[in-house]
């Protein structure tokens, strides 16, 4: 049986001017009987989308902050480093994935840009804009639990875990402010911040903070 080929969005190293990848992303796909393939960043969006046509799914990884210009806001002082080429290429890949019905999984930055591409917006910096007793930007080791999330009982996520509350790690300074169109929250942190979503009109477009 042919293993599914999963396209992976690479991370970008500003200092070295190069792409890189955390092995955990690749190992997770391999353990799930998939074949991970890292896509390029410094090709045209059209070429990257063409390469994606040979793949069966898309993993949108963590990394730089999503540009506020994508959700029609100015860049605030507390906003982190941006990566314009990632914004451009991920936008094209996500559109192609929806068009072809290919599954998409977003993690960290992944949930944020999916929300933006669905018409939502973000807190550019949680400590200065949201304010919370919940620790969303934990220190290593990242295998520890930072806080709990409350899982919506009518969601597919609840059907998967069969628990109302789940401890998670957490390392992000941005988060969903206004939920995008056709997205449904599947889990929220104790302070109400959305931590998991799904696309209601697609077979599988899920994302986690």
């Amino acid at each position: 049986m042919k293993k599914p080929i999963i396209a992976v969005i690479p991370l970008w190293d500003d200092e070295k001017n190069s792409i890189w990848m955390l092995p955990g992303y690749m190992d997770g796909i391999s353990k799930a009987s998939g074949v991970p393939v890292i896509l390029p960043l410094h090709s045209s969006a059209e070429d990257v989308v063409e390469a994606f046509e040979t793949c069966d799914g898309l993993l949108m990884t963590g990394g730089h902050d999503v540009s506020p210009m994508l959700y029609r806001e100015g860049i605030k002082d507390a906003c982190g480093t941006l990566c314009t080429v990632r914004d451009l290429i991920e936008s094209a890949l996500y559109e192609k994935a929806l068009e072809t019905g290919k599954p998409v999984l977003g993690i960290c930055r992944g949930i944020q840009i999916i929300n933006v591409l669905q018409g939502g917006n973000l807190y550019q910096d949680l400590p200065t804009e949201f304010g919370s007793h919940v620790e969303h930007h934990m220190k290593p080791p990242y295998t520890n639990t930072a806080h709990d999330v409350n899982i919506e009982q009518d969601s597919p996520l609840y059907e998967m875990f069969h628990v109302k509350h789940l401890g998670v790690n957490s390392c992000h300074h941005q988060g969903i402010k206004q939920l995008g169109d056709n997205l449904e929250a599947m889990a929220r942190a104790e302070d109400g911040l959305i931590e998991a979503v799904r696309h209601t009109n697609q077979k599988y477009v899920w994302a986690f903070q």
Side-chain angles (χ1 to χ4, degrees):
M1 182 177 178
K2 177 181 175 293
K3 292 183 177 181
I5 299 173
I6 306 301
V8 181
I9 305 295
L11 309 176
W12 178 254
D13 188 317
D14 292 294
E15 184 177 335
K16 296 181 179 179
N17 201 36
S18 66
I19 63 171
W20 67 287
M21 181 50 54
L22 290 165
Y25 287 121
M26 313 297 282
D27 293 343
I29 292 172
S30 296
K31 289 178 181 178
S33 300
V35 179
V37 175
I38 300 174
L39 295 178
L41 280 184
H42 278 284
S43 298
S44 69
E46 291 78 10
D47 288 346
V48 178
V49 168
E50 185 172 343
F52 176 56
E53 291 179 357
T54 66
C55 300
D56 302 296
L58 178 65
L59 173 60
M60 303 179 78
T61 61
H64 291 72
D65 287 358
V66 177
S67 174
M69 291 184 288
L70 290 182
Y71 46 96
R72 298 169 296 283
E73 288 187 11
I75 301 172
K76 299 178 181 178
D77 291 340
C79 186
T81 305
L82 308 178
C83 185
T84 304
V85 68
R86 277 200 69 174
D87 292 339
L88 175 66
I89 287 178
E90 285 183 333
S91 297
L93 286 170
Y94 183 70
E95 181 180 355
K96 187 65 175 181
L98 296 189
E99 177 188 320
T100 55
K102 292 182 180 180
V104 179
L105 176 63
I107 300 174
C108 199
R109 171 190 160 93
I111 189 176
Q112 295 164 9
I113 194 164
I114 286 173
N115 186 64
V116 169
L117 294 176
Q118 290 295 142
N121 59 16
L122 305 174
Y123 292 106
Q124 292 190 35
D125 181 63
L126 292 174
T128 58
E129 296 183 14
F130 185 61
S132 172
H133 66 284
V134 175
E135 179 55 73
H136 289 287
H137 198 277
M138 67 188 294
K139 296 179 180 179
Y142 298 122
T143 51
N144 289 342
T145 295
H147 61 78
D148 285 349
V149 295
N150 301 313
I151 299 177
E152 300 291 341
Q153 286 187 257
D154 59 349
S155 71
L157 192 60
Y158 181 83
E159 294 176 9
M160 177 180 291
F161 290 107
H162 297 287
V163 295
K164 297 179 182 179
H165 311 289
L166 188 68
V168 298
N169 60 355
S170 186
C171 188
H172 58 100
H173 86 108
Q174 295 197 322
I176 292 176
K177 186 176 183 180
Q178 178 181 344
L179 191 62
D181 298 334
N182 299 315
L183 292 182
E184 179 180 81
M186 294 196 293
R188 297 176 186 266
E190 301 156 49
D191 55 11
L193 189 71
I194 295 173
E195 296 272 333
V197 302
R198 74 179 185 98
H199 195 302
T200 58
N201 292 338
Q202 295 288 324
K203 185 176 182 180
Y204 188 93
V205 177
W206 284 25
F208 302 90
Q209 187 61 76

